[in-house]
Each structure stands twice: as structure tokens, then as C-alpha cells.
Amino acid sequence: MTETVKIKSPIDGSIYAERPLATDQQVNAAVERARAAQVAWAQTPIAERCRYALAFLDALVAMNDEIVVELAWQMGRPVRYGGEKGGVIERTRYMIDIAEKALVPVIASDPKPGFRRYVKREPLGVVMVIAPWNYPYLTAVNTIVPALIAGSAVILKHAAQTLLVGERFAKAFDQAGLPKGLFQNIVMNHAQTEKLLGSGRIDHVNFTGSVAGGRAIERAAAGTFMTLGLELGGKDPAYVLPDVKMDHAVANLVDGAFYNSGQCCCGIERIYVHEKVYDEFVDGFISLTKDYVVGSPLDQATTMGPMAQARFADLIREQKAEALRKGATAHIDMKVEGDKEGSPYLAPEVLTNVDHQMSVMREESFGPIVGIMKVRNDEEAIALMNDSPYGLTASIWTRDTDHAAAIGDRVETGTVFMNRCDYLDPALVWTGVKDTGKGAALSAIGYENLTRPKSYHLREAI
């Protein structure tokens, strides 16, 4: 009997879709097709590769009305938000626009008569993308498009919760006319994935997921010398200073904490507020949070859908209960139908009187809960922001750009925001420190991580 993967919808617990696992023979054949197709692709001009990428983007965007509903059924995001089209367009177009310049050979800066010396960016070969469910299009496109433009072939293994996303990518590339074998979507389990990574036939893997998952990827790849891109956990902080523009900070931080039911890689999970504006900020934050409407993501009135799985919601319930036992105060008394242990439906929560002895302030939540702490000064805020095993983004809320930059210099993070959060600028590299992982995506640096340097030292005949 063929083993299958089932998508259990968080909307009502029904099986939304079911797909068979690829056999080992099918996985092997896919790798062979990718390897064969990549040889000719590497010789294809960059401009032509970019034309395929634009055609893919047009095809994918044309499916968006169907995609939005599929996302609601697969992982619970409300249809009112329109899916991930805007970010996919922005990132894809940017990486296309900079491709020629980012991949141009680097000429040695000190010319020597009789020599030609330069460094080319060579494609890695076969790139594997292991994508998560929380932003299933955005996280995947970060690597898929630039890897193809750089001259590699791509194999996608998408999260079981969002299997249909991989099929949408495959359909869009087919409609774009991309040569066969260059992009393949494969349904695999963990054991098959680890076996493939350990085979030495994959040249680079990009994984977005948990810290435990990242360690499993490293173990599977050990000894193969493949390159790795790992975007793992996060516990992103915000620091609100006395000179903040209050209404702007409250609105953006509430959205940064609770958009997508808090299931954002760079979502705000802890907030430190200067004592001079603490009460005003907390009052505004609580008031705005109470405006959320939790319910079916298929309803246009819903602003917060269920979490992707009940076990994720139960973790939030556990963190809240522990914090309350240790003296925290909960502020959102929202009645949500079905909000009980074992259900993915969960009201947003704001906690005060929190400290770093509580898991909600140090361990990843990845859900609609946030703790707010009062601080006396920058020194205390910086120490608390750095008191975490993670480091993806940190946001600073002030009117003083120089001050924000100076604080940012001392925060252990991959990105420093000022007066915004929860956003990826494709012109800037997306990276992290500590347990958040390694590697880099987007920007010209993203192309460097998806290619290898090859030096040419050519001496004229004497």
C-alpha cells in the first residue's frame, strides 16, 4: 500500500488533500534529471534565465485567487489578506533586476600587463529547498528564483502542511516553459530527505524551520561538504524609547506580534518599553489587540485565523499558564469559539509583569502571545534583547536614527529595524546569528551564497 501525506486543515480538522510519497526510485530519478538539465542551463545566458523567471512569476500571480483560499484551508491565514502575492512579486523582480550585476565576473583590481585575472560566480549544481508552512511561498521563492537564475537546478520539498504550494510552483514553471528537470517538486518524508542529503548528490540545501530541524539537516549532510542555508528559530524583540511616535509604534507592533496568528519567522515576540512611556504604550497595545476578530479564515471579517496545528496552540497555552503561575498578568479576555486545549483556535494574548524566568520571554512561541517589560534605560534594554539563544531581527522605536543605529550595533541580530518590523527588504541580506542559523538570502549577497567562486589566472604566451 502506498504511503501518503495528508493535509489536516486547521479550519475544521478535515483532510483537505492527500498525496503519495515519492518512491526512492522516483527521488533518484529526479536528482538525475536535475543533474542532466543543469549542465545546459549553466551555459544559458543570465538574461534568458531571467525571462523564464518573469514568466514563472506571471503564471504564479495569475493563480492567486485560488492560492488565497488554498492557504486558508492548509494553514489558516484569513483570505482577507490576499495571500503572499505582493512579497513574491517584490522579491522575484528585485532578484531578477540585480542578477546581471550580482553575477558579473570580478576583475582583479591591480591590472598586470600580459595577464587576465578574474573571478566568476559558478552555479552550485543541484540545490534543494526544504520550505516551511508559515509563509510557504515567500520562504521558498527566496531561494528557488535566485538559484535558478544563478544557473542551478532546484528540487523542492515542501512542508506536509502546505503540500499544494509545491504543486503551484511546479505548474507555474511548466507554464513558463522552463526546461524539464530544472525545477522539481517532490513529496518526501524525513527519512527520505535525510537519505538524499547524505548521498552527496545535493550541492546546497536551504532549510527554513526549527532549530531541531536545522541540526537534523546538519547531521544528515555531515561529510558531504555541501553548503547550507539555515533559517531557524527566532524570539525577535522590540525596544520602545521615550521619543517614540506612539500611535505608529502601537499599530505596527500589534500587527508585528499577531499577523498570521503570530506564526512569523520575524514576528515580534517580546517588547521592552522605556518606563517613561510604558503605561501609555501598554494601554494602547491592549486596546488595539482587543479589536482582533478570531474565526474561520474563509470569512472576510476574520482578522486572525486558527494556528496551523492544534499542538502549536497548545504550546502557547502552556507558556501563558506558566507565566501566570510565576506572576504575569494577562490582559485580553476574549471569548473565542473552540478555544480550548487541543484546538488550533486561540485568542491573542498580551502579558505584563513578565521577566526572563518565564519561557514566554526566552523560548520561541511562534504564536499570538507577547510579553511586555518595563526598562529603565538603553543598557537594560540591550541586555534583555541579547538574553536569547536566537538572533533574527530586532526593532527599535524612536525618532532618532543615529541613536537607533548605535543601539543596533550592540544587539546580537541579523537585521536591525527602526520604526518597522516583520518585513524583508530584498535589497538587504536576510540572515541570522546564534541558534537562528547560518547563511544568507536575498540581495547580491544571496547570489554569493548560491554560487561558488572560480578564479581565472590567464597568462599570455611569451
Side-chain angles (χ1 to χ4, degrees), residues 240-244 246 273-281 374-377:
V240 179
L241 282 85
D243 66 341
V244 66
M246 186 60 70
V273 184
H274 195 283
E275 60 186 6
K276 291 182 179 178
V277 291
Y278 177 82
D279 290 339
E280 181 184 1
F281 177 85
K374 182 188 297 186
V375 295
R376 292 164 295 180
N377 51 42

Side-chain angles (χ1 to χ4, degrees), residues 54-67:
L54 278 173
F56 151 78
L57 179 62
D58 290 343
L60 190 66
V61 169
M63 304 175 196
N64 196 62
D65 288 347
E66 301 162 80
I67 284 172

Side-chain angles (χ1 to χ4, degrees), residues 44-328:
T44 302
I46 293 171
E48 187 173 345
R49 297 180 206 153
C50 288
R51 283 194 291 273
Y52 281 112
L54 278 173
F56 151 78
L57 179 62
D58 290 343
L60 190 66
V61 169
M63 304 175 196
N64 196 62
D65 288 347
E66 301 162 80
I67 284 172
V68 168
V69 177
E70 285 178 353
L71 284 176
W73 278 102
Q74 290 177 94
M75 50 74 69
R77 185 182 303 135
V79 294
R80 68 179 288 136
Y81 296 121
E84 300 172 19
K85 180 178 73 172
V88 168
I89 292 172
E90 181 183 32
R91 297 179 196 184
T92 300
R93 288 193 178 277
Y94 184 83
M95 295 308 285
I96 289 170
D97 290 345
I98 69 168
E100 295 267 13
K101 184 176 180 181
L103 295 169
V104 72
V106 178
I107 310 299
S109 59
D110 54 335
K112 293 185 178 181
F115 291 88
R116 289 174 59 196
R117 298 175 301 139
Y118 55 95
V119 178
K120 289 183 68 176
R121 303 301 313 184
E122 292 283 295
L124 294 175
V126 178
V127 170
M128 186 171 185
V129 176
I130 304 175
W133 52 264
N134 66 314
Y135 281 92
Y137 286 92
L138 289 173
T139 52
V141 84
N142 287 351
T143 301
I144 290 171
V145 167
L148 286 167
I149 292 174
S152 289
V154 174
I155 292 174
L156 172 64
K157 180 225 175 285
H158 220 297
Q161 192 70 38
T162 44
L163 283 179
L164 301 189
V165 174
E167 295 178 7
R168 289 290 181 181
F169 272 99
K171 183 177 180 180
F173 278 118
D174 282 345
Q175 292 180 359
L178 186 73
K180 299 296 183 183
L182 289 175
F183 175 85
Q184 296 173 84
N185 173 57
I186 308 179
V187 180
M188 290 187 285
N189 60 26
H190 293 322
Q192 288 175 307
T193 303
E194 291 174 4
K195 182 179 179 181
L196 178 56
L197 292 176
S199 70
R201 294 180 297 156
I202 300 296
D203 300 297
H204 175 87
V205 62
N206 191 90
F207 170 79
T208 304
S210 68
V211 174
R215 289 179 175 137
I217 296 293
E218 283 196 322
R219 286 193 298 271
T224 66
F225 307 123
M226 73 166 66
T227 52
L228 303 174
L230 302 173
E231 186 195 325
L232 310 177
K235 192 70 183 173
D236 291 7
Y239 173 33
V240 179
L241 282 85
D243 66 341
V244 66
K245 186 176 181 181
M246 186 60 70
D247 290 348
H248 174 81
V250 168
N252 281 271
L253 284 170
V254 168
D255 183 68
F258 299 127
Y259 184 78
N260 206 37
S261 298
Q263 299 166 131
C264 303
C265 300
C266 56
I268 295 298
E269 296 208 357
R270 50 201 176 107
I271 303 174
Y272 306 100
V273 184
H274 195 283
E275 60 186 6
K276 291 182 179 178
V277 291
Y278 177 82
D279 290 339
E280 181 184 1
F281 177 85
V282 169
D283 288 345
F285 196 96
I286 292 169
S287 177
L288 194 56
T289 300
K290 290 180 178 179
D291 289 342
Y292 273 94
V293 177
V294 182
S296 169
L298 300 173
D299 187 338
Q300 282 287 342
T302 295
T303 56
M304 182 180 291
M307 296 190 71
Q309 294 182 23
R311 63 186 177 94
F312 303 148
D314 283 344
L315 172 63
I316 304 305
R317 294 183 178 103
E318 291 170 9
Q319 286 191 334
K320 176 181 173 179
E322 183 227 28
L324 294 179
R325 287 195 303 271
K326 292 182 176 180

Side-chain angles (χ1 to χ4, degrees), residues 394-435:
S395 66
I396 301 163
W397 300 79
T398 175
R399 299 171 192 258
D400 187 335
T401 304
D402 290 339
H403 190 188
I407 293 171
D409 287 343
R410 299 173 60 193
V411 178
E412 297 161 351
T413 189
T415 294
V416 177
F417 289 117
M418 172 181 159
N419 295 335
R420 77 175 312 169
C421 58
D422 194 22
Y423 170 73
L424 275 70
D425 183 341
L428 301 175
V429 68
W430 191 244
T431 188
V433 298
K434 300 190 284 190
D435 282 359

